[in-house]
Amino acid sequence: MTLADAVAAHPELKGSLPWLERMFAVDAAEADGDARGALQLIEEMLLGPDGRPFWRPERVRRLRQLVELGADVPTWAVRRWAVAQAAQVSPGRPREAMDLAIRTRGGRSTLWGIDDDARSKILDHDWVYRQLVLHDHGGLADFLRRVASPDLRGLTGDMTSWSTAPMGGYELWEEASNHIVWRDLATSLPVTTLNLGSASMMAIGEGAIGRIVESDDVRLFESAPLCVPIDVAQAVADRPFAWIDAINEACRGPYGEVMTELIAKLNHFDLLFDLSSRSRRYLIQPPDPDLRSDRVVSGGNGTEYDVALVLAAVAGELERDENELCSCGRQHDERRPLEPLVAAAMLEPDTVGRLASMLVDSDAAALRDLELLLPSPADVLCRRLRRGLADAA
């Protein structure tokens, strides 16, 4: 839809024309693969006509991460950026996808927020809606064919395997610092993915569903997978094209309330990590008692929390929250790697900039050790910090 089409369909939008023009300009910059240009356009008009922040925080953070990584952005992250754009502009059949997503999770009583706010939350957070509009209704393929510019397609390469990736069901077998091993429930064969935190709220033996894709010999989920009871994952593996039926049944079963929460509220679909910053900050605590995750989530400084977390990792002083629960409500019964959570903290905008002024020469060895453990692209940031220490020496 063009700007003229939007205003013609909704004349009441005329008063918001400058913001609509800016929104279309940002969309166009992103579709051109110009993260820096899109971010500049946003920063020039941060507030809406009501004086409140106008842009979705996830979108701003995504662009800042791309700009800060620069040439070190891995291809899989650029492809996830294209996926995020496709979900954002919804070139598929969004109304049909939204109606089905609402029915699947239990009807309008499951909506949070009201009117346009409730609809916005579905667009931003609903896992079922995202999968429907991107894949089952062709939104990703449509975006790549009709909206993405040749420049963006040049950055992503051929994404046909991403837009056509089937839904799968998986059992968590093993989590290491930089990779996760799943059992493909359709074949019983192991599948190894990059560790972007999708297992951090799961217990070994729990199930997940999602679409595993490849990029430069790296396997990962195209978007954050959904943790589900193992029987639901098996049902999806047995009938991948009927995955929506398995979710529909699960939302009306014994774990229905939990399933609805996981579908509707857990995901922010971050670019570089499979858990929202809110979720991951509940899982691990830096030593400073003034930086408890509950204080950060309720309005504290997330950057200070993330900086403290990485500093604690460099010093070898980290521990999980003793009250940590798995996504389905059970206590973890085994020690799990903390490095993916540290990597996510390091990749948050401003973290590395703040760290650069706090590290000392003696931290170089610890950074080198951390670099070997962290999943990409956080390892790149460790190298940057080490180079910074060497240049300052």
Side-chain angles (χ1 to χ4, degrees):
M1 178 183 292
T2 66
L3 178 56
D5 292 335
V7 174
H10 302 279
E12 70 277 8
L13 295 177
K14 287 184 178 179
S16 302
L17 195 56
W19 290 270
L20 289 173
E21 290 174 340
R22 184 57 57 101
M23 185 172 64
F24 274 77
V26 173
D27 288 349
E30 288 202 73
D32 282 339
D34 184 5
R36 186 177 299 277
L39 183 61
Q40 182 176 343
L41 287 168
I42 285 175
E43 290 178 338
E44 289 172 353
M45 189 181 280
L46 288 172
L47 303 181
D50 58 358
R52 300 173 62 184
F54 183 69
W55 307 94
R56 292 186 176 98
E58 292 83 7
R59 185 179 193 180
V60 177
R61 184 163 82 257
R62 184 164 63 233
L63 290 171
R64 291 188 64 193
Q65 287 174 318
L66 289 166
V67 169
E68 290 186 11
L69 281 169
D72 293 319
V73 175
T75 302
W76 62 259
V78 180
R79 291 183 172 188
R80 273 193 160 195
W81 180 30
V83 172
Q85 290 185 59
Q88 183 175 272
V89 301
S90 302
R93 304 199 301 274
R95 174 55 63 184
E96 184 179 337
M98 184 174 294
D99 291 343
L100 181 52
I102 292 171
R103 291 200 302 273
T104 298
R105 73 192 212 188
R108 297 191 62 81
S109 63
T110 64
L111 296 178
W112 49 306
I114 57 174
D115 302 328
D116 289 343
D117 182 52
R119 182 179 184 277
S120 177
K121 286 180 168 60
I122 293 172
L123 295 172
D124 292 344
H125 303 292
D126 190 286
W127 191 92
V128 169
Y129 167 82
R130 186 181 177 91
Q131 291 298 314
L132 287 170
V133 79
L134 285 174
H135 297 281
D136 296 56
H137 295 173
L140 178 55
D142 205 26
F143 171 82
L144 294 169
R145 182 175 60 253
R146 296 195 301 108
V147 181
S149 73
D151 288 339
L152 179 59
R153 292 197 299 270
L155 293 172
T156 64
D158 184 5
M159 288 185 62
T160 303
S161 63
W162 282 49
S163 62
T164 60
M167 186 70 73
Y170 305 93
E171 176 189 353
L172 177 60
W173 261 8
E174 175 189 328
E175 183 189 14
S177 61
N178 55 16
H179 69 271
I180 304 170
V181 182
W182 310 86
R183 180 169 74 95
D184 186 334
L185 294 173
T187 64
S188 291
L189 296 176
V191 181
T192 300
T193 63
L194 188 66
N195 193 343
L196 300 180
S198 56
S200 295
M201 291 183 69
M202 297 175 61
I204 300 299
E206 281 195 323
I209 62 173
R211 302 176 196 267
I212 291 181
V213 294
E214 291 191 28
S215 177
D216 294 338
D217 298 323
V218 173
R219 285 184 174 178
L220 67 157
F221 287 94
E222 52 80 39
S223 298
L226 180 69
C227 177
V228 297
I230 194 67
D231 61 320
V232 177
Q234 185 65 65
V236 170
D238 292 341
R239 300 178 65 224
F241 293 103
W243 66 270
I244 194 72
D245 296 333
I247 295 297
N248 185 74
E249 184 175 347
C251 286
R252 286 151 183 79
Y255 295 103
E257 186 174 344
V258 174
M259 283 293 299
T260 298
E261 290 286 309
L262 293 175
I263 290 169
K265 296 183 179 181
L266 183 66
N267 289 295
H268 287 199
F269 304 111
D270 287 353
L271 181 71
L272 303 176
F273 200 63
D274 283 341
L275 290 180
S276 69
S277 55
R278 178 190 181 101
S279 296
R280 70 169 174 78
R281 285 170 181 151
Y282 273 125
L283 294 179
I284 186 170
Q285 302 294 341
D288 187 346
D290 291 329
L291 290 173
R292 298 291 298 182
S293 62
D294 53 352
R295 297 176 189 173
V296 172
V297 169
S298 63
N301 191 319
T303 301
E304 288 185 3
Y305 181 96
D306 293 327
V307 168
L309 199 57
V310 177
L311 288 174
V314 170
E317 302 173 348
L318 279 184
E319 62 181 54
R320 280 181 179 265
D321 188 340
E322 62 183 7
N323 297 316
E324 177 196 346
L325 294 175
C326 303
S327 56
C328 291
R330 299 198 303 273
Q331 290 289 143
H332 272 293
D333 55 1
E334 70 283 315
R335 291 186 62 83
R336 302 288 288 282
L338 301 175
E339 288 84 4
L341 304 173
V342 175
M346 182 172 282
L347 289 164
E348 287 287 343
D350 296 330
T351 298
V352 168
R354 293 280 298 278
L355 284 168
S357 63
M358 298 180 179
L359 297 171
V360 296
D361 291 347
S362 59
D363 292 323
L367 283 170
R368 184 180 298 108
D369 293 341
L370 201 58
E371 178 185 329
L372 299 175
L373 295 173
L374 296 187
S376 177
D379 57 345
V380 172
L381 300 184
C382 286
R383 285 197 291 276
R384 286 187 187 178
L385 289 168
R386 285 199 297 112
R387 284 199 300 267
L389 289 175
D391 292 344

